[in-house]
Amino acid sequence: MAKDLFGICPFVTSQKILQGKWAILVLHELSQGTRRFNELERELGITHATLSSQLKSLEREGIVSRTVYAEVPPRVEYSLTEIGRKFESVLASIEAWGYDYIDFLHANRPTAS
Amino acid sequence: MAKDLFGICPFVTSQKILQGKWAILVLHELSQGTRRFNELERELGITHATLSSQLKSLEREGIVSRTVYAEVPPRVEYSLTEIGRKFESVLASIEAWGYDYIDFLHANRPTAS
DNA sequence: CGGGATCCCGCCAGATACTG
DNA sequence: CAGTATCTGGCGGGATCCCG
Protein backbone atom coordinates (compact mmCIF):
# COMPACT_ATOMS: atom_id res chain seq x y z
CA MET A 1 0.00 0.00 0.00
CA ALA A 2 1.59 3.17 -1.26
CA LYS A 3 5.09 2.07 -0.43
CA ASP A 4 6.47 5.00 -2.36
CA LEU A 5 5.00 7.29 0.28
CA PHE A 6 7.15 6.00 3.10
CA GLY A 7 8.74 9.36 3.61
CA ILE A 8 10.27 11.17 6.49
CA CYS A 9 9.14 14.75 6.07
CA PRO A 10 5.43 15.07 6.90
CA PHE A 11 5.11 17.99 4.50
CA VAL A 12 6.54 16.10 1.56
CA THR A 13 4.36 13.11 2.32
CA SER A 14 1.24 15.22 2.67
CA GLN A 15 2.06 17.14 -0.46
CA LYS A 16 2.26 13.97 -2.52
CA ILE A 17 -1.28 13.12 -1.50
CA LEU A 18 -2.75 16.59 -1.91
CA GLN A 19 -0.98 17.49 -5.11
CA GLY A 20 -3.79 16.66 -7.50
CA LYS A 21 -6.43 19.15 -8.54
CA TRP A 22 -9.20 17.23 -6.81
CA ALA A 23 -7.80 15.51 -3.71
CA ILE A 24 -8.74 18.25 -1.26
CA LEU A 25 -12.18 18.68 -2.76
CA VAL A 26 -12.93 14.97 -2.72
CA LEU A 27 -11.73 14.63 0.85
CA HIS A 28 -13.83 17.56 1.93
CA GLU A 29 -16.89 16.06 0.31
CA LEU A 30 -16.29 12.72 2.02
CA SER A 31 -15.72 14.42 5.34
CA GLN A 32 -19.35 15.49 5.12
CA GLY A 33 -20.41 11.87 4.97
CA THR A 34 -20.49 8.76 2.82
CA ARG A 35 -20.93 9.43 -0.87
CA ARG A 36 -21.76 7.41 -3.92
CA PHE A 37 -19.72 7.67 -7.07
CA ASN A 38 -22.30 9.67 -8.98
CA GLU A 39 -22.93 11.98 -6.06
CA LEU A 40 -19.29 12.97 -6.02
CA GLU A 41 -19.28 13.35 -9.77
CA ARG A 42 -22.25 15.72 -9.72
CA GLU A 43 -21.37 17.71 -6.64
CA LEU A 44 -17.78 18.32 -7.67
CA GLY A 45 -18.25 18.75 -11.40
CA ILE A 46 -15.46 16.30 -12.08
CA THR A 47 -15.40 13.86 -14.98
CA HIS A 48 -15.89 10.25 -14.01
CA ALA A 49 -12.57 9.14 -15.45
CA THR A 50 -10.70 11.65 -13.33
CA LEU A 51 -12.82 10.94 -10.28
CA SER A 52 -12.26 7.24 -10.70
CA SER A 53 -8.50 7.54 -10.78
CA GLN A 54 -8.46 10.02 -7.91
CA LEU A 55 -10.56 7.72 -5.75
CA LYS A 56 -8.37 4.78 -6.65
CA SER A 57 -5.31 6.70 -5.51
CA LEU A 58 -6.89 7.70 -2.22
CA GLU A 59 -8.01 4.13 -1.69
CA ARG A 60 -4.52 2.78 -2.38
CA GLU A 61 -3.15 5.30 0.08
CA GLY A 62 -5.49 4.04 2.77
CA ILE A 63 -7.35 7.31 3.17
CA VAL A 64 -10.62 6.38 1.51
CA SER A 65 -12.55 3.14 1.79
CA ARG A 66 -14.71 1.71 -0.95
CA THR A 67 -17.77 -0.43 -0.29
CA VAL A 68 -19.50 -2.33 -3.06
CA TYR A 69 -23.10 -3.44 -2.61
CA ALA A 70 -24.20 -6.43 -4.68
CA GLU A 71 -27.35 -4.86 -5.99
CA VAL A 72 -28.95 -4.01 -9.28
CA PRO A 73 -28.22 -1.34 -10.20
CA PRO A 74 -24.80 -1.56 -8.55
CA ARG A 75 -24.07 0.76 -5.68
CA VAL A 76 -20.62 1.80 -4.50
CA GLU A 77 -20.06 4.00 -1.52
CA TYR A 78 -16.98 5.90 -0.50
CA SER A 79 -16.07 7.11 2.94
CA LEU A 80 -13.07 8.16 4.95
CA THR A 81 -11.00 5.60 6.80
CA GLU A 82 -9.76 6.27 10.29
CA ILE A 83 -6.61 8.02 9.10
CA GLY A 84 -8.78 9.80 6.58
CA ARG A 85 -11.03 11.14 9.30
CA LYS A 86 -8.00 12.50 11.06
CA PHE A 87 -7.46 14.61 7.98
CA GLU A 88 -10.60 16.56 8.79
CA SER A 89 -8.63 18.86 11.06
CA VAL A 90 -6.47 19.82 8.10
CA LEU A 91 -9.59 20.50 6.08
CA ALA A 92 -10.91 22.71 8.86
CA SER A 93 -7.67 24.72 8.84
CA ILE A 94 -7.74 25.04 5.09
CA GLU A 95 -11.34 26.19 5.19
CA ALA A 96 -10.65 28.81 7.85
CA TRP A 97 -7.62 30.15 6.03
CA GLY A 98 -9.46 30.09 2.72
CA TYR A 99 -12.11 32.40 4.13
CA ASP A 100 -9.45 34.68 5.58
CA TYR A 101 -7.67 34.75 2.27
CA ILE A 102 -10.82 35.52 0.30
CA ASP A 103 -11.50 38.39 2.69
CA PHE A 104 -7.94 39.54 2.22
CA LEU A 105 -8.33 39.52 -1.55
CA HIS A 106 -11.48 41.57 -1.39
CA ALA A 107 -9.93 44.03 1.03
CA ASN A 108 -6.98 44.55 -1.33
CA ARG A 109 -8.75 44.53 -4.63
CA PRO A 110 -7.52 47.19 -7.07
CA THR A 111 -10.85 48.83 -7.92
CA ALA A 112 -12.56 49.14 -4.57
CA SER A 113 -16.31 49.17 -5.11
CA MET B 1 -3.47 40.95 -7.63
CA ALA B 2 -4.63 37.44 -8.44
CA LYS B 3 -8.05 38.53 -9.58
CA ASP B 4 -8.68 35.05 -10.92
CA LEU B 5 -8.66 33.77 -7.34
CA PHE B 6 -11.72 35.71 -6.27
CA GLY B 7 -13.62 32.57 -5.49
CA ILE B 8 -16.36 31.61 -3.16
CA CYS B 9 -15.41 28.17 -1.93
CA PRO B 10 -12.46 28.37 0.48
CA PHE B 11 -11.34 24.89 -0.52
CA VAL B 12 -11.21 25.67 -4.20
CA THR B 13 -9.37 28.90 -3.54
CA SER B 14 -6.86 27.22 -1.25
CA GLN B 15 -6.40 24.38 -3.68
CA LYS B 16 -5.46 26.74 -6.48
CA ILE B 17 -2.66 28.12 -4.38
CA LEU B 18 -1.40 24.81 -3.02
CA GLN B 19 -1.68 22.83 -6.24
CA GLY B 20 1.94 23.11 -7.29
CA LYS B 21 4.59 20.62 -6.27
CA TRP B 22 6.47 23.17 -4.17
CA ALA B 23 4.00 25.64 -2.68
CA ILE B 24 3.56 23.87 0.65
CA LEU B 25 7.27 23.23 1.02
CA VAL B 26 8.22 26.82 0.24
CA LEU B 27 5.60 28.15 2.64
CA HIS B 28 6.79 25.85 5.37
CA GLU B 29 10.36 26.99 4.86
CA LEU B 30 9.34 30.63 5.03
CA SER B 31 7.23 29.98 8.11
CA GLN B 32 10.51 29.16 9.84
CA GLY B 33 11.78 32.64 9.08
CA THR B 34 13.06 34.93 6.35
CA ARG B 35 15.01 33.19 3.64
CA ARG B 36 17.25 34.24 0.80
CA PHE B 37 16.78 32.88 -2.68
CA ASN B 38 19.76 30.56 -2.53
CA GLU B 39 18.86 29.31 0.91
CA LEU B 40 15.51 28.14 -0.36
CA GLU B 41 17.12 26.62 -3.42
CA ARG B 42 19.55 24.60 -1.35
CA GLU B 43 17.26 23.59 1.48
CA LEU B 44 14.45 22.46 -0.80
CA GLY B 45 16.48 20.93 -3.60
CA ILE B 46 14.46 22.87 -6.15
CA THR B 47 15.86 24.28 -9.37
CA HIS B 48 16.20 28.03 -9.41
CA ALA B 49 13.93 28.44 -12.44
CA THR B 50 11.13 26.57 -10.72
CA LEU B 51 11.74 28.34 -7.42
CA SER B 52 11.71 31.69 -9.14
CA SER B 53 8.34 31.13 -10.76
CA GLN B 54 6.86 29.64 -7.60
CA LEU B 55 7.97 32.63 -5.55
CA LYS B 56 6.63 35.01 -8.16
CA SER B 57 3.24 33.31 -7.95
CA LEU B 58 3.13 33.46 -4.17
CA GLU B 59 4.15 37.09 -4.32
CA ARG B 60 1.43 37.91 -6.84
CA GLU B 61 -1.06 36.17 -4.59
CA GLY B 62 -0.03 38.37 -1.67
CA ILE B 63 1.22 35.51 0.47
CA VAL B 64 4.94 36.13 0.22
CA SER B 65 6.80 39.41 0.30
CA ARG B 66 10.05 40.09 -1.50
CA THR B 67 12.64 42.53 -0.25
CA VAL B 68 15.57 43.61 -2.39
CA TYR B 69 18.68 45.06 -0.78
CA ALA B 70 20.79 47.34 -2.96
CA GLU B 71 24.08 45.65 -2.23
CA VAL B 72 26.89 43.93 -4.06
CA PRO B 73 26.45 41.05 -4.31
CA PRO B 74 22.69 41.53 -4.48
CA ARG B 75 20.59 40.17 -1.68
CA VAL B 76 16.90 39.33 -1.87
CA GLU B 77 14.92 38.10 1.07
CA TYR B 78 11.56 36.38 1.14
CA SER B 79 9.17 36.23 4.03
CA LEU B 80 5.51 35.65 4.73
CA THR B 81 3.03 38.50 4.61
CA GLU B 82 0.34 38.85 7.22
CA ILE B 83 -2.09 36.60 5.38
CA GLY B 84 0.83 34.29 4.73
CA ARG B 85 1.56 34.01 8.42
CA LYS B 86 -2.03 33.05 9.02
CA PHE B 87 -1.32 30.06 6.83
CA GLU B 88 0.99 28.69 9.47
CA SER B 89 -1.93 27.06 11.26
CA VAL B 90 -2.66 25.10 8.11
CA LEU B 91 0.98 24.04 7.96
CA ALA B 92 0.80 22.91 11.56
CA SER B 93 -2.24 20.76 10.78
CA ILE B 94 -0.57 19.30 7.73
CA GLU B 95 2.53 18.50 9.72
CA ALA B 96 0.58 16.78 12.49
CA TRP B 97 -1.45 14.74 10.06
CA GLY B 98 1.64 13.90 8.03
CA TYR B 99 3.24 12.36 11.08
CA ASP B 100 0.06 10.44 11.87
CA TYR B 101 -0.11 9.21 8.31
CA ILE B 102 3.52 8.11 8.25
CA ASP B 103 2.88 6.17 11.45
CA PHE B 104 -0.19 4.68 9.86
CA LEU B 105 1.80 3.57 6.83
CA HIS B 106 4.40 1.90 8.96
CA ALA B 107 1.77 0.19 11.07
CA ASN B 108 0.11 -1.23 7.97
CA ARG B 109 3.12 -2.08 5.90
CA PRO B 110 2.83 -5.43 4.05
CA THR B 111 5.99 -7.10 5.33
CA ALA B 112 5.91 -6.33 9.02
CA SER B 113 9.46 -6.41 10.33
C1' DC C 1 -24.53 2.78 -12.12
C1' DG C 2 -19.67 2.42 -11.73
C1' DG C 3 -15.50 2.47 -13.95
C1' DG C 4 -11.84 0.87 -17.23
C1' DA C 5 -9.21 2.01 -21.91
C1' DT C 6 -7.67 5.24 -24.96
C1' DC C 7 -6.57 9.56 -27.05
C1' DC C 8 -5.08 14.05 -26.54
C1' DC C 9 -3.87 18.56 -24.85
C1' DG C 10 -2.00 21.90 -21.63
C1' DC C 11 0.87 22.97 -18.10
C1' DC C 12 4.19 22.01 -14.49
C1' DA C 13 8.66 21.54 -13.59
C1' DG C 14 13.53 20.26 -14.79
C1' DA C 15 17.74 21.35 -17.66
C1' DT C 16 20.42 24.60 -19.72
C1' DA C 17 22.12 28.97 -21.01
C1' DC C 18 22.31 33.95 -20.55
C1' DT C 19 22.06 38.58 -17.83
C1' DG C 20 22.67 42.44 -14.37
C1' DC D 1 23.74 36.24 -6.04
C1' DA D 2 19.42 36.41 -8.10
C1' DG D 3 17.20 36.10 -11.42
C1' DT D 4 14.95 35.56 -16.82
C1' DA D 5 14.41 32.98 -21.41
C1' DT D 6 13.80 28.96 -23.87
C1' DC D 7 13.27 24.26 -24.79
C1' DT D 8 11.49 19.88 -23.56
C1' DG D 9 9.55 15.67 -21.39
C1' DG D 10 6.19 13.91 -18.49
C1' DC D 11 1.98 13.75 -16.37
C1' DG D 12 -2.48 15.39 -14.76
C1' DG D 13 -6.79 15.56 -16.23
C1' DG D 14 -10.66 16.24 -19.70
C1' DA D 15 -13.37 13.91 -23.58
C1' DT D 16 -15.00 10.00 -25.55
C1' DC D 17 -16.11 5.26 -26.06
C1' DC D 18 -16.83 0.73 -24.21
C1' DC D 19 -17.98 -2.83 -20.66
C1' DG D 20 -20.14 -5.68 -16.60
Side-chain angles (χ1 to χ4, degrees):
Chain A
M1 177 204 300
K3 297 175 220 146
D4 50 318
L5 281 168
F6 278 64
I8 295 164
C9 174
F11 294 103
V12 173
T13 301
S14 297
Q15 194 282 327
K16 285 180 183 168
I17 291 170
L18 303 183
Q19 62 181 184
K21 178 176 174 181
W22 295 102
I24 292 177
L25 289 333
V26 169
L27 290 175
H28 170 242
E29 199 62 38
L30 292 180
S31 76
Q32 308 289 90
T34 296
R35 293 283 186 276
R36 298 182 61 171
F37 188 89
N38 270 4
E39 287 182 299
L40 291 171
E41 186 175 347
R42 272 197 316 275
E43 289 163 1
L44 293 174
I46 182 178
T47 64
H48 61 282
T50 302
L51 175 60
S52 177
S53 87
Q54 176 67 73
L55 285 170
K56 217 165 59 173
S57 295
L58 291 171
E59 193 192 353
R60 239 189 319 117
E61 292 155 1
I63 298 167
V64 161
S65 73
R66 179 173 178 273
T67 308
V68 183
Y69 295 89
E71 303 176 355
V72 177
R75 184 163 116 250
V76 182
E77 293 191 340
Y78 293 89
S79 58
L80 296 182
T81 61
E82 192 181 331
I83 188 69
R85 260 175 271 120
K86 286 189 180 174
F87 191 78
E88 290 172 4
S89 59
V90 178
L91 290 171
S93 293
I94 289 176
E95 182 176 25
W97 183 82
Y99 280 126
D100 281 350
Y101 181 64
I102 290 171
D103 287 347
F104 160 79
L105 287 179
H106 283 79
N108 294 68
R109 71 167 110 197
T111 60
S113 59
Chain B
M1 175 206 299
K3 296 176 219 145
D4 50 319
L5 281 167
F6 278 63
I8 296 164
C9 174
F11 294 102
V12 173
T13 301
S14 298
Q15 194 281 329
K16 284 180 183 167
I17 291 170
L18 302 183
Q19 62 180 185
K21 179 176 175 180
W22 295 103
I24 291 177
L25 289 334
V26 168
L27 290 175
H28 169 242
E29 200 62 37
L30 292 180
S31 75
Q32 307 289 90
T34 296
R35 292 284 186 277
R36 298 183 59 171
F37 189 89
N38 269 6
E39 287 182 298
L40 291 171
E41 187 175 347
R42 270 197 317 274
E43 289 164 1
L44 293 174
I46 183 179
T47 64
H48 59 283
T50 302
L51 175 60
S52 177
S53 86
Q54 176 68 73
L55 286 170
K56 221 164 56 173
S57 295
L58 291 171
E59 193 192 352
R60 237 188 322 116
E61 293 155 0
I63 298 168
V64 161
S65 73
R66 179 174 178 271
T67 310
V68 183
Y69 295 88
E71 302 175 357
V72 176
R75 184 164 117 252
V76 181
E77 293 190 341
Y78 293 88
S79 58
L80 296 181
T81 61
E82 191 180 332
I83 188 69
R85 258 175 273 120
K86 285 188 181 175
F87 191 77
E88 290 172 3
S89 60
V90 178
L91 291 171
S93 293
I94 290 176
E95 182 176 24
W97 183 81
Y99 280 126
D100 281 350
Y101 182 64
I102 290 172
D103 288 346
F104 160 78
L105 287 179
H106 282 81
N108 294 69
R109 70 167 110 199
T111 60
S113 58

